[in-house]
Each structure stands twice: as structure tokens, then as C-alpha cells.
Amino acid sequence: MLHPPNEAAAREAMIPAQTGHVSESIASSHRKMWRVWSGACFGIVLLAAFAQPLLALINYAAGSQLYSYILLVPFVSAYLLYLRRDQLPKTLVTDLPLAVVSLAASLGVLVLIYWLDFVRQRPSDNDRLALLTLSFLCCLATGGFFFFGRGWMRAAAFPLAYLIFIVPMPDAMADALETASKYASAEVANLLFHLSSTPFLRAGLIFQLPNITIEVAQECSGIRSSWVLLMTSILAANLFLKTPWRRLALVAFVIPLAILRNGFRILVIGLLCVNAGPQMIHSLIHRRGGPLFFMLSLIPFFLVLWRLRKGDVRTRQPE
């Protein structure tokens, strides 16, 4: 004859199973905390090991007109990581192969620095800081892959990749960008002078106006504001746009926008010298007018961002 199971006995049978699940959960939580704290200790040790070049980078950026933005980049990356905190995987595993690759890259950069010193081809202070900072970032990636794993690094890819902007541009790269921007801006200024019906003669980078002759110098390239605008476009594209081609379109739009802004600035200064007098070449709008023209360039930038975001939202709406 069958009898219904005793409820008390059933509860007693469930207790060991529940206890086992709780124990596994506690052990998993302990392992995760161990990884987090170990990763934090690794970060502290890494900062101590690179303390001298990082402090030199801070002092260099603080005193540089071109690289002052570097001081803000770590805070932007930290904020982006905070925004993605709910998307980060809860399970942390070691990805040893990628950790080894990152460590090898870091050591390779350090070996390159010492090899250049050995053969008496010591890089400039700017290039040396760039290489040391790149080595630091590779070491940081090593700790990420070792303590948190590939899944966590993939989820945090953009905030961590954005840290590449703390690396100063190599001198050759900065010179090439400045030269290209200078010549492109001169071409745009040439077109704008024609459109404004201003009489002028041009010889390369030199514009002879009625009251003054001006030359588009290296300082007129606007490389700093153009680079910051590029960084802003990459950040805005990631935060506000989801479609890959729209993100790419926003970033690509920055290039002609920066050239047009520089050409417009040359036009404004030239017209001021023609109509108000050649002394305007020494005015604040020439010597300190960069932020003003940068703010003006943000108007078309945000209009394009708004238009792309509007199309992005419409595309993602359900049929």
C-alpha cells in the first residue's frame, strides 16, 4: 500500500542540496573578490613601477598647449567604465594567452627604448614618453586579461581603448598632421577669400592682402583643436549612436569640419587686417582665438550628431 511522503523528511532531504548550492555560491563569490582585489593590487604595483614616467607625462601635459587634454582622458575612461558596470561579466576567468601577448608587447616596447639608447639614437623626450606610456597601457591590458579575462575585457573594450589618447603623438606624426592641416587650410582659405571678393595674391602658403601679407604657419594648423574634436566625435559616436556606419560617418565628418574651421579662421583674421588695420594680426582673436573657433565648429558637429541619432532611433524602432 502506497503512502504519501512525509513532508518533514522531504524538507530534511532538501537541506543538504541547498547547503551545497550556498557553499558553491560563497566559494564563487570569494574567488571573484580574490581576483578583484588581486587586480587592484596589481594596478597599484603597476602605478608604482611606472610612477616616474607617469608623473613626467602629467607635468608634460600640464605645460603643453597640444597635450593638455591628456589630463582628462583617464577620468573619461573611468566614467565610461562606470556607465558599463552592469554589462561587465560576473564570472571572471584568466585568459593566459592574451595576457602573455600583452606582456610581450609591453616588454618589447621597453626593449626598443633601451636599444635606441644603446645605439645612441635616443628618441626625443616626447617620443620617449609616448613609448613608456604605451608600455604602461600594454601592462595594464596584461592585468586585465590575467585577472578578469577576455569576456570582461571585451565588455570594457571602449573605455580601455580610449586610454590610448593619453599617449602623446610621436613627433613625426604630429609634424605630418600639422603640415597636412596647414596646406589644406590654406586651400580652403583661398576659396573663402575668392567667395568674399577680397582682392589678394597667393604664393603657396603666403597671402598678400591690401594692407598686409600673411603666411599660414605651423601654428595655424589647429592640430590641437582638431585632435580634441576627433576625440569628441569618437566618444559621442560610441555614446549616442548604435549603427556602425553612422558612427563612422560622424568621425569622418570631423576631418573636413576641422579644415573648414581653420580656413574660416584665416579668412576672419585676414578680413580684420584688411578692414580694421594690420595691427589685428596681433589681436587676441589671432593669438587666443582657438577656443572661440573650436566652439563655433561644435555647432555643425552637434547638428550632424543630432541628425544621425534621429535616423539611428528611427532605424531601431520596431515595425
Side-chain angles (χ1 to χ4, degrees), residues 121-198:
Q121 294 183 2
R122 180 183 174 88
S124 66
D125 291 341
N126 177 83
D127 288 354
R128 189 179 185 85
L129 270 180
L131 290 172
L132 288 170
T133 306
L134 184 60
S135 178
F136 167 77
L137 292 180
C138 290
C139 278
L140 191 65
T142 299
F145 285 118
F146 185 83
F147 293 103
F148 303 125
R150 183 181 305 186
W152 194 94
M153 292 291 285
R154 185 185 297 114
F158 183 79
L160 296 179
Y162 201 76
L163 286 172
I164 193 64
F165 287 113
I166 70 172
V167 179
M169 284 185 283
D171 289 334
M173 177 181 174
D175 289 341
L177 289 177
E178 286 180 343
T179 301
S181 177
K182 180 174 62 174
Y183 279 93
S185 301
E187 292 298 329
V188 172
N190 181 78
L191 176 61
L192 294 177
F193 277 126
H194 275 296
L195 293 177
S196 66
S197 300
T198 302

Side-chain angles (χ1 to χ4, degrees), residues 59 80 156 213 227 271 287 297-298 300 307 310 314 317:
N59 291 329
L80 292 173
T213 298
W227 192 251
L271 292 180
R287 294 186 289 109
S297 67
L298 290 180
R307 185 66 185 87
K310 186 177 180 181
R314 188 184 303 118
Q317 284 178 346

Side-chain angles (χ1 to χ4, degrees), residues 282-317:
H282 304 295
S283 64
L284 287 178
I285 198 169
H286 180 211
R287 294 186 289 109
R288 295 288 185 267
L292 171 62
F293 290 94
F294 176 79
M295 296 300 294
L296 289 176
S297 67
L298 290 180
I299 297 174
F301 173 79
F302 282 119
L303 287 175
V304 171
L305 174 60
W306 172 80
R307 185 66 185 87
L308 290 173
R309 180 171 172 79
K310 186 177 180 181
D312 207 16
V313 172
R314 188 184 303 118
T315 301
R316 288 184 283 132
Q317 284 178 346

Side-chain angles (χ1 to χ4, degrees), residues 211-214 269 272-283:
N211 290 339
I212 191 172
T213 298
I214 61 175
I269 294 171
L272 285 174
C273 291
V274 170
N275 295 290
Q279 72 278 2
M280 295 303 295
I281 197 67
H282 304 295
S283 64

